[in-house]
Amino acid sequence: MDIDKIRQDFPVYKKYPKLCYLDTAASSLTAQPVIDAINDYYNSYSVNVHRGVYQLSFELTQKYEQARQTVADYLNASFEEIIFTRGASSALNLVAMSYGLNALKPGDEIIVSELEHHSHVLPWQHVAKKTGATLIYVPLTKEGRITVDNFKAVLTNNTKMVALTHVSNVMGYETPLKPIIALTHEKGALISVDAAQSLPHKTVDVKDLDCDFLAFSGHKMCGPTGIGVLYGKKHLLDEMTPVEYGGDMNDYVEKHDVTLKDIPYKFETGTPPIAAVLGLKAAIDYLKNIGETAILKHENTLKDLALEGLESIDGITVYNKNTDTGIIAFNFDGVHPHDAVTYFDEDDVALRAGHHCAQLVMKFLNVPATLRATFYLYNTKDDVAVFLKSIKAARTFFTEIGF
Amino acid sequence: MDIDKIRQDFPVYKKYPKLCYLDTAASSLTAQPVIDAINDYYNSYSVNVHRGVYQLSFELTQKYEQARQTVADYLNASFEEIIFTRGASSALNLVAMSYGLNALKPGDEIIVSELEHHSHVLPWQHVAKKTGATLIYVPLTKEGRITVDNFKAVLTNNTKMVALTHVSNVMGYETPLKPIIALTHEKGALISVDAAQSLPHKTVDVKDLDCDFLAFSGHKMCGPTGIGVLYGKKHLLDEMTPVEYGGDMNDYVEKHDVTLKDIPYKFETGTPPIAAVLGLKAAIDYLKNIGETAILKHENTLKDLALEGLESIDGITVYNKNTDTGIIAFNFDGVHPHDAVTYFDEDDVALRAGHHCAQLVMKFLNVPATLRATFYLYNTKDDVAVFLKSIKAARTFFTEIGF
Amino acid sequence: MRLENLYRQIIMDHYKNPRNKGLTSDPTYQSEHIKNPSCGDDITIQSKVKDGVIEDIRHDGTGCSICCSSASVLSQRLKQTTVDEALSVITAYVNMITNQPYDPSIELEDAEAYEGIKDFPARTKCATIAWKALEHTLKK
Amino acid sequence: MRLENLYRQIIMDHYKNPRNKGLTSDPTYQSEHIKNPSCGDDITIQSKVKDGVIEDIRHDGTGCSICCSSASVLSQRLKQTTVDEALSVITAYVNMITNQPYDPSIELEDAEAYEGIKDFPARTKCATIAWKALEHTLKK
Ligand SMILES: Cc1ncc(COP(=O)(O)O)c(C=O)c1O
Ligand SMILES: Cc1ncc(COP(=O)(O)O)c(C=O)c1O
């Protein structure tokens, strides 16, 4: 993996050569081939899909559906199991609003965790309120992890739905999904997996994992904004009803009746985000080409270096020393993360301060907010050095001015 | 209006100089400043909005929210009344699924029309089925128009909701909305306006029109795919519940409870389609700069020329001789539109053949499908000539081979 | 003019004078209703198989000339063939249309007239939809 | 280092030793709860107005140093002023922070220490949130 070459693929570095970008968990930088794919759409097509029978639209429709096949292949799913959405949040909502609201009833139990991003806990909180089902939280270990044993402790014969993140966007922990999914299915329950923070770093084989639903976003994996994917098992999607009705999702329309298209189209009304779909394909091709094993290894090397450095600085608390990915959550003792982050910004170190759309994690850690640094494929050892230098100087500064 | 100069702004013409693009009602071509805005995002930002407190993200968030203000100003609405969605279909669904499903009950009446795009009739068909409300169709005139008198004929004290298109995407007719909206409000009912085919051609002042909801898409007005807008009156949006829950739409998240952000954010969960929002702003600026009165005048000049030409050719039926916009729906007598369109494609004339997501219009016209040509700001008198020449030659060809 | 290659006389003949048109309510027939409403195509193919032989094929509906005529050609070509032969003819036909290699020894008869479609990929679906529907029935 | 301009001594003093901190349950006070949860800011401002004069201001909550200290500075500066004067001080302060012209004859006192924020637009909100909350209460 030639990082210098990889960095050339990210034009933001051309504009800001000194930028130390460590906010990938919020959004990754966008790779040049993705931007090229988007430009190719607007410069050489810029027409609609599915609807035209002239050559330009026909060709584009083929490219567009090839992108769906690329996503399907990437997940080891079938073409019709891939639904394009606005983003991971929208995809996760589709499961809750289409499946959850219709299938659950009072007495049923939904298992979630405090590690969930708001986009995976709030839809199920809503479903619980609307259907009378009970929302149950997996107890986390002291370290903040979901374990198979803790999962077993809440799994009952009433469990009908499980909604868990694959990788936490604050703690970076990977959930042991495979045994959890097997247990879930033994109870006849279904599982929705939030892969927004895992797919950018590792391939997922949905057949092997045997998850029922899985969602992710393009903008976290070098791809465009405005595109997400819901994978769902065919037989489940077949039975589910759409949450939106309109053009392109139906066969016959009568004044008072409609017959729906088959999956995936019945879930995709209206003109799709064509440019973003083509960009997502380019992002997947890009990551495949580099190789995700190499990416994860690289991230982890940088993260280990960073953790080592942080340990040698006093007055810093790291919340996830055993993180499984490139994500580090930490704070300066006595300094609000919002204060700290301004310091880093002055050094062109882009970090995140806040609750990261995961307030239940903040409550678990008993802090109002944290700093978060993410290392990804385009980061270098230099980035780690710059990061650590800025941290050290900031720590001195805040101590000196009396924090 | 200097058309030659305008055509330079549409890069698809550089790639296909001979293209006679008449499928704008499906999707317009994309203007260069829009593509530039998208590239500027990916090349100079490519970070997330709202979440970062570092400079790059802060600056971007300001640009992003300025785009919302641009949309608001364009419609004469307020900032918080503008909700970004995936497209017009999604925006129209939001009204039906959030307002309609919750507010309507058996006995209530919903007025729609056969001129509606599927994306504006199917959501209300669904609401009617779910709530027990009755879906009522405005009788169209012989010509296929919605008139104030015909609207009065179906307006009753039970009318709770009216869903009408501003401009029909097949017939090109403009609905006389202003008096219809006044009548609607006299009954205490609300109106949802589908402006997907009107906003590309004319400005709409939502205060003056006094509509309750209004939706449109970026890709039909020289803008990007993957972005639409729902305008709603503040006091209505305030009362409505979200259809999706997740990150960025809440204030405080507890395990079993959540407090929502104010509008517009409570309807916008997840990372938004940032690039497309910035592109939409550029599209609006672009259209404003040219001037929409000039655009509509130009379209109508070309359309009149085209209609005149069509009249002199035997064996062609035009369904909307009195169209108010640049849209012409027609057929070759005895030739399926799908056959005809292949002929035009050979001449690089991009026309649409099909039901245009408006099967109720097809039923009204008593045809399985039609051809449709749209004239827009980038079309020229040469395009009209090429179009007519191709039509004439096609007519001869199909007659000769025995259709 | 490439279009002359598309609308060959045989095709126009089947379009204007379709063979085996009109549906039956005989329950020994299998029906396949084809949905392609975005093109305005609405076609039903019925087939009756006995002892491994397709005894009859019926079709009806509306659609473009390519779609309707190819249903007629299909019914003519595959009536009275064995299911196995029918399947290989269908494969050959679909491959020809989509510009892929196919066994030239297979007699396509009138269906050969659709070769020109390979230059009009946007029309592939029109020419194959009836054939794929029958294939689907036969493979059930 | 630009950051020294931001974290001036006066600010740190108010952050470490906040004036008028702690809420009251006295119903003659108006309360304004400030929501900025994405930053972890959670502040309440209480004010008691009698005969056009702000008799007391209280505040409490958690947040960054700029947010918490500015609530303290605000309480100190605006206590015992008339509502009219308070509104003009608030306007001057907010304009100073957002780099817009403001009346230099208005005495900002300790609040002047926040001038450096104008170079940190990402922190504008932290420095103004308490002030805008009070403005909102006063204009009610
Ligand atoms: C774990 C996780 N799930 C879901 C999401 C939501 O993704 P998006 O904002 O793209 O909808 C995010 C990103 O913020 C995330 O980190
Ligand atoms: C009148 C009308 N309404 C709604 C839509 C749906 O817009 P979109 O496909 O962008 O969601 C269209 C476009 O197809 C339209 O023409």
Side-chain angles (χ1 to χ4, degrees):
Chain A
M1 217 171 115
D2 180 348
I3 305 298
D4 287 345
K5 215 172 132 264
I6 286 176
R7 281 171 78 94
Q8 309 267 326
D9 294 333
F10 293 85
V12 167
Y13 287 127
K14 283 185 193 125
K15 172 128 188 191
Y16 303 104
K18 278 181 36 192
L19 178 67
C20 176
Y21 187 70
L22 303 179
D23 196 21
T24 295
S27 249
S28 66
L29 300 177
T30 317
Q32 189 64 52
V34 173
I35 305 175
D36 291 345
I38 294 169
N39 277 305
D40 182 52
Y41 168 67
Y42 286 118
N43 290 324
S44 307
Y45 296 93
S46 112
V47 298
N48 214 318
V49 291
H50 293 150
R51 303 172 173 192
V53 279
Y54 49 89
Q55 190 57 23
L56 208 54
S57 170
F58 176 78
E59 246 179 74
L60 175 67
T61 304
Q62 288 206 314
K63 270 176 94 99
Y64 172 82
E65 295 299 359
Q66 272 158 18
R68 194 190 304 272
Q69 189 61 52
T70 298
V71 176
D73 293 345
Y74 195 55
L75 301 177
N76 192 23
S78 324
F79 180 87
E80 71 268 27
E81 293 175 324
I82 301 302
I83 299 165
F84 289 129
T85 68
R86 215 183 61 234
S89 300
S90 202
L92 294 167
N93 268 279
L94 181 50
V95 180
M97 304 311 163
S98 172
Y99 181 80
L101 281 182
N102 291 304
L104 300 189
K105 49 183 200 323
D108 289 347
E109 292 172 1
I110 306 164
I111 297 180
V112 293
S113 89
E114 288 149 84
L115 288 186
E116 300 315 304
H117 188 277
H118 293 163
S119 293
H120 207 200
V121 72
L122 293 179
W124 293 105
Q125 194 184 87
H126 177 74
V127 168
K129 278 184 198 158
K130 281 274 172 180
T131 61
T134 311
L135 198 65
I136 297 195
Y137 285 82
V138 192
L140 301 182
T141 63
K142 249 177 90 183
E143 202 183 44
R145 282 184 190 271
I146 301 164
T147 62
V148 178
D149 280 346
N150 286 356
F151 179 73
K152 276 185 192 155
V154 288
L155 185 70
T156 76
N157 289 332
N158 295 325
T159 307
K160 288 284 141 46
M161 190 73 214
V162 175
L164 291 177
T165 194
H166 194 183
V167 167
S168 154
N169 69 319
V170 178
M171 305 301 273
Y173 298 148
E174 183 176 344
T175 308
L177 281 181
K178 233 182 134 169
I180 285 179
I181 290 173
L183 289 164
T184 300
H185 288 159
E186 269 172 32
K187 294 287 184 194
L190 299 185
I191 187 160
S192 159
V193 171
D194 177 357
Q197 293 290 348
S198 60
L199 261 196
H201 313 279
K202 57 191 309 172
T203 48
V204 172
D205 178 328
V206 292
K207 291 243 162 45
D208 177 58
L209 198 58
D210 199 25
C211 56
D212 300 295
F213 301 103
L214 180 139
F216 65 95
S217 272
H219 71 95
K220 302 213 195 252
M221 49 195 291
C222 306
T225 57
I227 181 72
V229 168
L230 176 65
Y231 156 81
K233 281 184 182 163
K234 181 177 180 332
H235 73 100
L236 295 170
L237 295 179
D238 276 341
E239 294 301 312
M240 281 158 57
T241 51
V243 292
E244 293 188 329
Y245 290 77
D248 296 312
M249 51 81 82
N250 48 73
D251 282 329
Y252 298 99
V253 175
E254 309 281 343
K255 279 189 179 175
H256 298 282
D257 226 335
V258 62
T259 57
L260 303 183
K261 281 213 173 97
D262 290 333
I263 61 168
Y265 303 110
K266 81 172 172 190
F267 294 107
E268 294 180 351
T269 186
T271 302
I274 307 173
V277 165
L278 299 173
L280 176 63
K281 177 193 189 316
I284 290 178
D285 288 341
Y286 182 75
L287 293 181
K288 270 202 299 206
N289 193 36
I290 294 177
E292 260 153 322
T293 323
I295 294 173
L296 189 60
K297 200 172 145 222
H298 173 70
E299 288 170 29
N300 274 327
T301 307
L302 298 182
K303 179 252 310 182
D304 288 342
L305 262 179
L307 280 175
E308 216 182 287
L310 286 176
E311 238 163 74
S312 71
I313 307 169
D314 280 343
I316 285 176
T317 303
V318 173
Y319 300 108
N320 60 343
K321 289 200 173 115
N322 297 314
T323 170
D324 302 317
T325 56
I327 297 173
I328 304 176
F330 65 106
N331 264 329
F332 279 34
D333 303 342
V335 180
H336 193 283
H338 214 154
D339 286 314
V341 83
T342 298
Y343 192 100
F344 307 129
D345 194 21
E346 291 289 290
D347 285 352
D348 288 319
V349 176
L351 279 188
R352 258 258 265 170
H355 57 57
H356 320 292
C357 293
Q359 289 182 33
L360 300 179
V361 179
M362 300 301 112
K363 291 201 168 75
F364 175 83
L365 297 174
N366 203 17
V367 294
T370 74
L371 294 164
R372 180 181 69 185
T374 328
F375 294 92
Y376 197 35
L377 76 161
Y378 35 63
N379 293 118
T380 60
K381 292 193 178 168
D382 279 354
D383 284 337
V384 177
V386 168
F387 167 70
L388 289 172
K389 193 172 158 222
S390 187
I391 296 265
K392 257 182 234 161
R395 184 62 271 185
T396 307
F397 172 80
F398 286 113
T399 305
E400 277 177 12
I401 67 166
F403 266 84
Chain B
M1 220 171 116
D2 179 348
I3 303 300
D4 286 345
K5 215 170 132 268
I6 285 176
R7 282 172 77 94
Q8 310 268 326
D9 295 333
F10 293 85
V12 167
Y13 287 127
K14 284 183 194 128
K15 173 128 187 189
Y16 302 104
K18 276 181 40 193
L19 178 67
C20 176
Y21 187 70
L22 303 179
D23 196 21
T24 295
S27 249
S28 66
L29 300 178
T30 318
Q32 190 64 52
V34 173
I35 305 175
D36 291 345
I38 293 169
N39 277 303
D40 182 53
Y41 168 68
Y42 286 118
N43 290 324
S44 306
Y45 296 92
S46 114
V47 299
N48 213 318
V49 291
H50 295 149
R51 302 172 174 192
V53 280
Y54 49 89
Q55 191 56 25
L56 207 55
S57 170
F58 176 78
E59 246 178 75
L60 175 67
T61 304
Q62 288 207 314
K63 272 176 93 100
Y64 172 82
E65 294 299 358
Q66 272 157 17
R68 195 191 303 273
Q69 189 61 51
T70 299
V71 176
D73 293 345
Y74 195 56
L75 300 177
N76 192 24
S78 323
F79 180 87
E80 71 268 27
E81 293 175 325
I82 301 302
I83 300 166
F84 288 129
T85 67
R86 215 182 62 235
S89 300
S90 202
L92 295 167
N93 269 278
L94 181 50
V95 180
M97 303 311 162
S98 172
Y99 181 80
L101 282 183
N102 291 304
L104 299 190
K105 46 183 204 321
D108 289 347
E109 292 172 0
I110 306 164
I111 297 179
V112 294
S113 88
E114 288 148 86
L115 288 185
E116 300 315 304
H117 188 277
H118 293 162
S119 293
H120 207 201
V121 72
L122 293 179
W124 293 104
Q125 194 184 86
H126 177 74
V127 168
K129 277 184 200 160
K130 280 276 172 180
T131 62
T134 311
L135 198 65
I136 298 194
Y137 285 82
V138 193
L140 301 180
T141 64
K142 248 177 90 183
E143 203 183 43
R145 281 184 189 272
I146 300 165
T147 63
V148 179
D149 280 345
N150 287 357
F151 179 73
K152 277 187 192 155
V154 288
L155 186 70
T156 76
N157 289 330
N158 295 325
T159 307
K160 288 284 140 47
M161 191 72 212
V162 176
L164 292 177
T165 194
H166 194 183
V167 167
S168 155
N169 69 319
V170 178
M171 305 301 272
Y173 296 148
E174 182 176 345
T175 308
L177 281 181
K178 234 182 134 165
I180 284 178
I181 290 174
L183 289 165
T184 300
H185 289 160
E186 269 173 33
K187 293 287 183 192
L190 299 185
I191 186 159
S192 160
V193 171
D194 177 356
Q197 293 290 348
S198 59
L199 261 194
H201 313 280
K202 56 192 307 173
T203 49
V204 171
D205 178 329
V206 291
K207 292 243 163 46
D208 177 59
L209 197 58
D210 200 24
C211 54
D212 300 294
F213 302 102
L214 179 138
F216 64 95
S217 273
H219 71 95
K220 300 211 195 257
M221 49 196 288
C222 305
T225 56
I227 182 70
V229 168
L230 176 66
Y231 156 82
K233 281 183 182 164
K234 180 175 180 334
H235 74 99
L236 295 170
L237 294 179
D238 276 341
E239 295 300 312
M240 279 158 57
T241 52
V243 292
E244 293 188 329
Y245 290 77
D248 296 311
M249 52 82 81
N250 48 74
D251 281 330
Y252 299 99
V253 175
E254 310 280 345
K255 278 189 181 175
H256 298 282
D257 226 335
V258 61
T259 57
L260 303 183
K261 280 214 174 99
D262 290 333
I263 60 168
Y265 304 110
K266 81 172 173 191
F267 293 108
E268 292 180 353
T269 188
T271 302
I274 308 174
V277 165
L278 299 173
L280 176 64
K281 178 193 188 314
I284 290 178
D285 288 342
Y286 182 77
L287 293 181
K288 270 202 298 207
N289 193 37
I290 295 178
E292 260 154 321
T293 323
I295 294 173
L296 189 59
K297 200 172 146 223
H298 172 70
E299 287 170 30
N300 273 328
T301 308
L302 297 184
K303 178 251 313 185
D304 288 342
L305 262 179
L307 280 176
E308 217 182 286
L310 286 177
E311 238 165 75
S312 70
I313 305 169
D314 279 342
I316 285 175
T317 303
V318 173
Y319 300 108
N320 60 344
K321 289 201 173 111
N322 297 314
T323 171
D324 301 318
T325 58
I327 297 173
I328 304 175
F330 64 105
N331 265 330
F332 279 35
D333 303 341
V335 181
H336 193 282
H338 214 154
D339 285 313
V341 85
T342 298
Y343 192 99
F344 306 131
D345 194 20
E346 291 289 290
D347 285 353
D348 288 319
V349 176
L351 279 189
R352 260 259 264 166
H355 57 56
H356 321 292
C357 293
Q359 289 182 32
L360 299 180
V361 179
M362 299 302 112
K363 291 201 170 76
F364 175 83
L365 297 175
N366 203 17
V367 294
T370 74
L371 294 164
R372 179 181 71 184
T374 328
F375 294 92
Y376 198 33
L377 76 161
Y378 35 64
N379 292 117
T380 59
K381 291 194 178 169
D382 277 354
D383 284 337
V384 177
V386 168
F387 166 72
L388 289 172
K389 191 171 158 225
S390 186
I391 296 265
K392 257 181 233 159
R395 185 62 270 184
T396 308
F397 172 78
F398 287 112
T399 305
E400 277 176 12
I401 67 166
F403 266 85
Chain C
M1 199 351 168
R2 297 203 308 157
L3 231 59
E4 258 123 44
N5 263 325
L6 185 61
Y7 293 103
R8 304 266 298 278
Q9 223 181 319
I10 295 175
I11 297 180
M12 289 308 297
D13 180 42
H14 277 273
Y15 180 48
K16 288 285 166 189
N17 312 296
R19 330 291 196 258
N20 306 307
K21 187 166 168 162
L23 300 180
T24 166
S25 53
D26 180 339
T28 62
Y29 281 68
Q30 297 251 33
S31 266
E32 192 89 22
H33 182 203
I34 304 159
K35 319 189 282 190
N36 191 17
S38 61
C39 307
D41 291 348
D42 189 338
I43 295 254
T44 301
I45 303 283
Q46 295 183 318
S47 54
K48 179 179 180 164
V49 175
K50 214 179 148 191
D51 301 331
V53 174
I54 306 175
E55 290 200 335
D56 193 21
I57 302 179
R58 317 283 318 159
H59 64 96
D60 206 355
T62 58
C64 69
S65 64
I66 302 296
C67 174
C68 293
S69 66
S70 78
S72 166
V73 169
L74 155 113
S75 68
Q76 188 187 56
R77 174 64 187 85
L78 299 181
K79 218 165 130 170
Q80 302 298 348
T81 67
T82 66
V83 169
D84 288 348
E85 188 190 341
L87 287 173
S88 62
V89 173
I90 292 173
T91 305
Y93 174 80
V94 169
N95 284 359
M96 172 185 78
I97 300 273
T98 52
N99 217 355
Q100 284 166 50
Y102 63 97
D103 182 349
S105 72
I106 291 173
E107 279 292 345
L108 291 171
E109 298 177 8
D110 282 5
E112 232 175 73
Y114 292 82
E115 207 197 334
I117 300 272
K118 71 172 190 289
D119 297 325
F120 297 85
R123 301 300 295 278
T124 308
K125 203 169 176 186
C126 315
T128 55
I129 199 161
W131 295 69
K132 289 206 164 155
L134 181 65
E135 184 180 38
H136 190 239
T137 308
L138 296 180
K139 283 190 171 166
K140 261 204 270 216
Chain D
M1 194 1 164
R2 296 201 311 158
L3 231 60
E4 258 124 44
N5 262 326
L6 186 61
Y7 293 103
R8 302 267 298 277
Q9 225 182 316
I10 296 175
I11 296 180
M12 289 310 297
D13 180 43
H14 277 273
Y15 180 48
K16 288 288 166 186
N17 313 295
R19 330 292 197 260
N20 305 306
K21 187 166 169 165
L23 301 180
T24 167
S25 54
D26 181 339
T28 63
Y29 281 69
Q30 298 250 34
S31 267
E32 192 90 21
H33 182 204
I34 304 158
K35 318 188 282 190
N36 192 16
S38 61
C39 307
D41 292 348
D42 187 340
I43 297 254
T44 302
I45 303 284
Q46 295 183 317
S47 53
K48 177 179 181 165
V49 175
K50 212 179 149 191
D51 302 331
V53 174
I54 306 175
E55 290 200 336
D56 193 20
I57 301 179
R58 316 284 317 160
H59 64 96
D60 207 355
T62 57
C64 69
S65 63
I66 303 295
C67 175
C68 293
S69 65
S70 80
S72 166
V73 169
L74 157 114
S75 68
Q76 187 187 56
R77 174 63 188 86
L78 298 182
K79 219 166 129 169
Q80 302 300 346
T81 68
T82 63
V83 169
D84 287 347
E85 188 190 340
L87 287 173
S88 62
V89 173
I90 292 171
T91 305
Y93 173 80
V94 170
N95 284 359
M96 173 186 78
I97 300 273
T98 52
N99 218 354
Q100 282 165 51
Y102 62 98
D103 182 348
S105 70
I106 291 173
E107 279 293 345
L108 291 172
E109 297 176 10
D110 282 5
E112 232 175 73
Y114 292 82
E115 207 197 335
I117 300 274
K118 69 174 190 290
D119 297 324
F120 296 85
R123 301 299 295 278
T124 308
K125 205 171 175 184
C126 315
T128 54
I129 199 162
W131 294 70
K132 290 207 165 156
L134 181 65
E135 185 180 39
H136 190 239
T137 309
L138 296 179
K139 283 189 170 166
K140 262 203 269 219

